Amino acid sequence: MDDDRSSGSDHGPPAKRQRVLACQRCRSRKQRCEEARPCSNCVKSGEECQPTAPAPRLHVESEYVRVLEERIAELESLDPQQSQDHIRTSNGAIGHENQVRLPARTERSSNGTHADVASGATGVSPEEQRRRPSRSIADSSPNNTYTAEEEDDSGMDHLIFGLVASPSAARIEQSVLSSEASPNLHQPPSSDREFRPYASVASIPPELEDLLLEAYRERAQAQYPFFHWDTFLQWHAEWRDCPPAEQRSRSWQGFFVNLVYATSLILLRRPSIGRSDAQMFYRTGISLLPSVLQKPDKILHIQAYLLLAMRALHQSSTERIISLASTTMRYCVQQQLHLADTEPIPIEPSIRLQNQVRRRCFWCAYKLDRLVMSSFDLPPSIPDAMITSQTFANIDDKDLLQAAMDTPPETPLEDSPFYTCVSSSLHILQCRRIQSEICAITLRWDYNIHYENSPEWRIRILAELENYKARVQSFSHPQSKGYTSQRWLAMIYHYTLLILYRPSKQSVLGPAGDWSVQASSQACLMFRKTQMDRQIAQPWLGLLVQFQSGITLLYCFWATPPEHRTDNYDSLDVLDALRACSNILAIMADRWAKADCLRDVFELLAREIPPVDRPNRPPTRLSEKTIAAIYEKLPQVRELIVHRSILRMIEEMVSEDFPRSGGLAQIARPSSVSGILATSVTPLGNRSGNATPSASMAFQLPFSTQQPFSFEGTNVDLQDFSADGLPTFPGMFDFETWA
């Protein structure tokens, strides 16, 4: 015994004594039971004291424990408040929100010292991480809710993608984004083990698979057709049915399939499908991104960035959308996709098809870049004058390969004379090109000096918008819904008219105010009708643009005295548009908690800016309570909106008096409002719907020649001008009257 004690003391503390379980009778009666057998309770009752056998302890393999820890980390990452201190920091540790490791950077802490921060290791203890306030959207929600659609809104992966697209990315692509460098991309070494990224797709039933693919095709591919859809379906089939030995070599296909599924669930506004959800598909896809970037085909890289941008458009992050849009366009320019003479010579059909995909990728990146430009009033990533690339052909995906085979090598592909699956995308491209021309002037430093009151450039824009309307009439399907519908294209048209003028206190009494009232009213009404059709998703930029339209409408009423208002200020569409904008913001704020500030600011302004002034009690200034409430929310609004003109309008309405009497130069009200605003331009598309479009209706970009403006050939006459020589409002996009 002494030897045993000394041996135990030499080698550590004695072994823990086995705990004796309560007997069966005491256990069932929940009585205290001592270790002696028989126990006193059984002796007193005269019952047999039967011991309780301990439950057998199953042997748990370490690999099973590791898999469970990884799954727990994934689930806890959905809620930043949950602790992740149980996760191992050795091989196989995951649990950080971003699937790709950020390169280490230096941050200044609150006490002035510096700390190295990386994507997987923050340099602080788990307890300190839990005590720190989280920037997740969950904290700003009144009910602290956190939805699958909001998942990683505060993540920094958009910065990673920007880093990948930088010119110095070649030397870090393998080290930063390879699976070996990131513990989050840990893959079991055993070749016969199930490949988890493949399993997430293979488990989807065929009917749900069809639903997801169709949702993406209708709501994303229709606007941004950077995939040749038949080729993507081939990738999908090969990834879904590939044998285990080929799964890792085809991981690049898995990225596209998983990201398409993740995007489709967001577009459908479904948090999950079976045991899978949008966040799981996204994380799985991101884990396979290195396999795409390791492919030598740069077009695949651009398609990956564009696909990530499609998902970002439906996430509530202004910063993410701006970063991904500029990243994608920058990478396209780096690969010289903006230049026509860098295209491979189409000596065979496969190269011709490749060139069409190349053009689609560039022009989709262009549309995304110009969407960000017009939505946030930011400069473009590349000027239009530097682009020589031709637009992609108006040919259905199913006919594209055959058309490439039938066309001689030296002959360009001919556009189909009928509506195709890419016609709507080409319409939007044309309108984005017109918006780009507008912003190229409105963003100039000397705009207020030389261009604000100049009619020539606006006449040129109006002529191109007439061509846009005519082309939509010729190449659109009257029964189409959502992003391919004539209503959606009409909404983009009216928003383009809206950015032609940014009303100020000096210009609102002229055509800028009347113009803005009509354009913003129609933009809000058409978006609301399209939203009521339930055929579109709820894009984040759609919310911001509707807020901008509503603020512009309110500003016109705030800055324009009643005696200077045209008849359009009294239109019933105005009140309907204000209600529509209020409903849009309320509905979308229910989805995105951070949009509450936009809804609240609009409601506060709409409550205090009357559409009709009372003669005996004209408004003088917003109430102090309203001013204080708006100022409290302005920092959040600035972060989301960015747009300088819209922020200026809000600042003026909050900080200044109503410009009612004696504050501005008096501009006489036009003598004949109906004559000034009459539409005298005959639309080029007023012809039979069955007629074959003329050669002038070919899908070419506006302003492609970059020639100086002249009236010749613009379909504009003197009746299109007011008495002051300014262009009049061109009229509504009245597609409902088309045959």
Side-chain angles (χ1 to χ4, degrees), residues 533-547:
D533 289 341
R534 300 181 182 273
Q535 295 294 322
I536 65 169
Q538 295 185 359
W540 178 247
L541 292 188
L543 166 66
L544 302 186
V545 167
Q546 292 306 304
F547 177 79

Side-chain angles (χ1 to χ4, degrees), residues 698-713:
F699 281 91
Q700 297 175 354
L701 287 178
F703 315 113
S704 57
T705 58
Q706 295 294 324
Q707 295 178 351
F709 170 80
S710 69
F711 286 95
E712 194 172 328

Side-chain angles (χ1 to χ4, degrees), residues 180-194:
E180 290 79 11
S182 175
N184 293 350
L185 308 181
H186 175 78
Q187 296 172 346
S190 176
S191 59
D192 58 349
R193 191 168 294 145
E194 183 181 46

Side-chain angles (χ1 to χ4, degrees), residues 32-182:
R32 185 177 184 83
C33 183
E34 65 269 11
E35 297 182 0
R37 292 291 179 267
C39 66
S40 58
N41 293 329
C42 292
V43 170
K44 291 179 181 178
S45 61
E47 300 285 346
E48 181 181 2
C49 187
Q50 298 180 351
T52 301
R57 299 187 63 182
L58 298 177
H59 174 67
V60 180
E61 296 183 359
S62 59
E63 178 65 17
Y64 178 72
V65 175
R66 185 192 64 78
V67 172
L68 287 180
E69 288 181 344
E70 291 183 0
R71 181 57 179 161
I72 292 172
E74 284 186 273
L75 295 175
E76 288 188 348
S77 66
L78 299 179
D79 187 353
Q81 300 301 318
Q82 294 293 329
S83 169
Q84 296 181 1
D85 58 355
H86 67 279
I87 304 175
R88 298 191 304 266
T89 57
S90 59
N91 293 337
I94 62 172
H96 191 267
E97 187 173 1
N98 297 322
Q99 288 291 323
V100 184
R101 174 182 291 179
L102 274 170
R105 57 186 171 87
T106 303
E107 270 189 2
R108 182 175 293 276
S109 61
S110 58
N111 59 4
T113 61
H114 289 81
D116 289 334
V117 182
S119 176
T122 61
V124 296
S125 65
E127 276 69 29
E128 186 176 352
Q129 292 184 37
R130 291 197 299 273
R131 289 194 298 269
R132 288 182 177 180
S134 172
R135 297 181 61 188
S136 169
I137 192 65
D139 297 332
S140 59
S141 174
N143 300 322
N144 199 33
T145 58
Y146 191 76
T147 65
E149 293 172 336
E150 289 288 348
E151 60 267 10
D152 56 354
D153 176 54
S154 60
M156 302 293 287
D157 55 1
H158 56 284
L159 298 182
I160 300 170
F161 307 137
L163 179 65
V164 171
S166 67
S168 61
R171 64 176 181 269
I172 65 170
E173 184 173 293
Q174 299 292 330
S175 60
V176 177
L177 292 174
S178 66
S179 57
E180 290 79 11
S182 175

Side-chain angles (χ1 to χ4, degrees), residues 488-513:
W488 184 261
L489 299 173
M491 187 203 69
I492 299 176
Y493 164 86
H494 283 97
Y495 182 70
T496 305
L497 290 176
L498 179 60
I499 66 177
L500 264 176
Y501 284 102
R502 290 299 184 193
S504 63
K505 289 188 297 182
Q506 290 72 33
S507 65
V508 73
L509 303 186

Side-chain angles (χ1 to χ4, degrees), residues 594-606:
K594 63 167 58 176
D596 287 351
C597 63
L598 304 181
R599 176 200 61 200
D600 295 344
V601 167
F602 178 81
E603 294 294 343
L604 288 168
L605 291 172

